[in-house]
Amino acid sequence: MPTRLGVYGITVNNIAPGLILTDRIRHTLPQDVDPEEAIKEKAKSIPLKRIGKPEEFAALVAFLSSAQAAYISGTTIQVDGGASRAIF
């Protein structure tokens, strides 16, 4: 599909988010544990040892939507702190 849309200046990309600290994630934390401790526990399995911020995800969306990213198309970009072991 990216090849057919490119002639119209349309790029097609995919963002693969990992654990991003949204309200939904906050609501899934155990109720009987301090929220900050629960977040630290979840972050242990992430190579960067922290959960992503919504602003970090949004920054990539904004960049891919900008003219500066006009030559990027047909790609998947992981925003997961290195958690995914897959190769896209």
Side-chain angles (χ1 to χ4, degrees), residues 3-51:
T3 55
R4 289 186 278 151
L5 298 175
V7 296
Y8 302 105
I10 299 170
T11 59
V12 179
N13 295 290
N14 183 44
I15 302 172
L19 196 55
I20 304 294
L21 193 54
T22 61
D23 287 340
R24 182 182 131 342
I25 295 301
R26 289 184 193 277
H27 283 79
T28 66
L29 298 174
Q31 299 297 313
D32 59 339
V33 179
D34 174 56
E36 292 304 315
E37 288 302 315
I39 290 170
K40 286 179 185 177
E41 187 63 33
K42 282 187 172 281
K44 283 183 179 179
S45 65
I46 301 170
L48 292 183
K49 301 299 181 211
R50 66 181 184 84
I51 295 175

